[in-house]
Amino acid sequence: MNGERGRWPQLPLSSTRKAKDIISAARESLAKMIGGKPEDIIFTSGGTESNNLVIHSVLQHFHKVHASEGATPHFVTCTVEHDSIRLPLEHLVEEQVAAVTFVPVSTVTGQAEADDILAAVRPATCLVTVMLANNETGVIMPIPELSRRVAALNQQRAASGLPGVLLHTDASQALGKQRVDVRDLGVDFLTIVGHKFYGPRIGALYVRGLGKHTPLHPMLFGGGQERSFRPGTENTPMIAGLGKAAELVTENCEAYEAHMRDIRDYLEERLAAEFDKKTIHFNSQFPGTERLCNTCNFSIRGPQLQGRLVLAQCRTLLASVGAACHSDHGDRPSPVLLSCGIPSDVARNALRLSVGRSTTRADVDLVVQDLKQAVARLEGKA
């Protein structure tokens, strides 16, 4: 730069256009993956930003529309949501700018039941946010039923002069493991997280009828990128990677799902065979409830068999005792499992294993043997 400021060479116009073309193509790939429209996709830094953006937008919209009424906006969610939903909502309550109802999940199904969610709705309710699939148990929530019920409720509310309730689902855990279609789900907002389906650590937000049917208010202000809904210079390489990962999901989702389900089921068969029924408890199995194809959450009962201690004794297995973002919680039982009705002493011993696209039965055999030897060492039998 020869000691002068502001003299960096400019990108050739063709390079700028190529970057825009790459971003546009990725947006189309993402939209195709979820059955939406490209113009309804906004790129973000990840799931945490997407979830916070939804909450911020709905709060801003409520105050904009109902400023003269003095009402306090109300949110409805469930007790097993990710911290990027729970913590911002708790913060709004602490700041006394919103009210929130955390609806318990059923201890029978592990799900947030539509009846319970609808029962929590108030005249000032502006958003219902329920994850599509839980990250610790894999339990799939009844979002299509919930959206139908909310749509019917909104018709009644409109006739009574009440504001409509918007519906958001964090689909980060489900993408790449089952087909996700916003037309079937009927949601207004849907959170997308790249690394959950083998993409880069970047995210996106689907907003149905962005700016027309569904409001979105930016948290950031800057250069006008992403139609000013999420300004900031685009991370083109990461966006390109996200688009490619979405393409692979669109083309191969059924095969990915079938493989992971086969391996996960084999894992649970092997665990049941190696540890008797009194010893092992499958925390993510709720009769009649669907769950993701890749998730196995279980506990090996025993006073010295806390999940963290078992993992420390393993020589091959790398896993977590719950959500990866809670890995520093020590031996405290998972709040998600406790909410699902799992007893504290069982939840404290929980391990969550996730299989992937390349996991084999031979991998499962190694892991189960590793677990068996780790337990034997902790029980003084090895």
Side-chain angles (χ1 to χ4, degrees):
M1 287 180 57
N2 300 321
E4 298 181 32
R5 300 183 63 188
R7 297 290 297 276
W8 288 107
Q10 298 295 309
L11 275 175
L13 187 59
S14 59
S15 298
T16 304
R17 285 177 178 163
K18 186 174 182 180
K20 289 186 180 298
D21 289 343
I22 289 171
I23 292 169
S24 177
R27 201 185 311 275
E28 290 181 9
S29 296
L30 230 59
K32 187 175 181 181
M33 178 180 69
I34 62 169
K37 298 177 180 178
E39 60 266 28
D40 291 341
I41 300 290
I42 294 292
F43 292 111
T44 68
S45 63
T48 294
E49 183 186 342
S50 293
N51 287 344
N52 277 260
L53 181 56
V54 170
I55 292 168
H56 166 85
S57 292
V58 174
L59 181 70
Q60 291 288 103
H61 183 70
F62 185 93
H63 285 307
K64 183 178 179 180
V65 174
H66 305 284
S68 62
E69 300 171 15
T72 299
H74 175 243
F75 295 78
V76 178
T77 188
C78 71
T79 53
V80 298
E81 291 294 317
H82 189 271
D83 279 356
S84 58
I85 290 291
R86 181 181 63 83
L87 291 177
L89 289 177
E90 288 181 349
H91 177 72
L92 295 182
V93 173
E94 290 171 6
E95 295 293 312
Q96 299 183 338
V97 294
V100 181
T101 299
F102 290 91
V103 177
V105 295
S106 167
T107 56
V108 176
T109 65
Q111 295 177 317
E113 302 285 357
D115 284 345
D116 297 333
I117 295 292
L118 269 293
V121 172
R122 305 175 186 174
T125 300
C126 51
L127 179 72
V128 168
T129 173
V130 176
M131 59 181 18
L132 182 52
N134 185 262
N135 50 314
E136 293 190 38
T137 64
V139 166
I140 298 169
M141 302 296 178
I143 302 301
E145 179 191 358
L146 184 56
S147 70
R148 290 191 295 269
R149 300 278 296 275
V150 168
L153 177 65
N154 280 339
Q155 290 185 338
Q156 299 172 15
R157 288 169 69 93
S160 304
L162 293 174
V165 177
L166 294 167
L167 179 60
H168 165 246
T169 192
D170 180 347
S172 57
Q173 203 67 25
L175 288 164
K177 306 172 186 80
Q178 65 171 43
R179 191 174 70 90
V180 174
D181 193 313
V182 293
R183 294 164 295 190
D184 296 337
L185 295 173
V187 294
D188 300 298
F189 302 98
L190 182 138
T191 293
I192 298 167
V193 179
H195 67 271
K196 296 295 186 178
F197 54 97
Y198 290 69
R201 289 185 178 273
I202 189 174
L205 180 65
Y206 162 82
V207 186
R208 182 165 68 102
L210 174 58
K212 298 175 182 178
H213 175 274
T214 308
L216 193 69
H217 294 264
M219 291 193 295
L220 306 173
F221 296 88
Q225 294 87 352
E226 294 299 286
R227 289 163 287 166
S228 292
F229 290 114
R230 203 287 185 182
T233 302
E234 299 96 335
N235 190 337
T236 305
M238 297 281 270
I239 290 173
L242 185 64
K244 185 60 180 180
E247 283 182 35
L248 293 172
V249 168
T250 300
E251 295 168 3
N252 303 295
C253 190
E254 289 78 9
Y256 293 155
E257 182 177 5
H259 172 76
M260 286 186 278
R261 189 178 304 281
D262 175 71
I263 298 299
R264 193 275 314 276
D265 290 349
Y266 178 69
L267 168 63
E268 294 185 345
E269 289 169 9
R270 294 286 291 112
L271 288 170
E274 292 293 343
F275 301 96
D276 63 63
K277 291 182 179 180
K278 292 182 179 179
T279 301
I280 196 161
H281 183 272
F282 290 102
N283 304 317
S284 52
Q285 291 183 1
F286 294 88
T289 298
E290 290 186 46
R291 59 183 166 129
L292 294 177
C293 58
N294 73 319
T295 306
C296 172
N297 193 310
F298 66 98
S299 298
I300 304 172
R301 290 187 174 98
Q304 298 104 7
L305 301 180
Q306 287 83 14
R308 180 179 59 84
L309 298 180
V310 173
L311 287 178
Q313 290 292 324
C314 287
R315 307 288 170 82
T316 302
L317 174 63
L318 294 176
S320 64
V321 296
C325 46
H326 295 160
S327 57
D328 60 346
H329 282 198
D331 288 336
R332 284 179 288 171
S334 160
V336 168
L337 295 183
L338 296 178
S339 294
C340 294
I342 305 298
S344 180
D345 60 325
V346 177
R348 190 173 287 110
N349 288 19
L351 294 169
R352 184 190 64 166
L353 303 188
S354 299
V355 304
R357 297 174 188 175
S358 61
T359 310
T360 66
R361 291 193 172 208
D363 294 331
V364 168
D365 291 337
L366 284 173
V367 162
V368 172
Q369 186 64 24
D370 194 21
L371 280 169
K372 188 176 180 181
Q373 291 172 353
V375 169
R377 282 191 286 272
L378 287 170
E379 291 183 332
K381 299 177 182 177

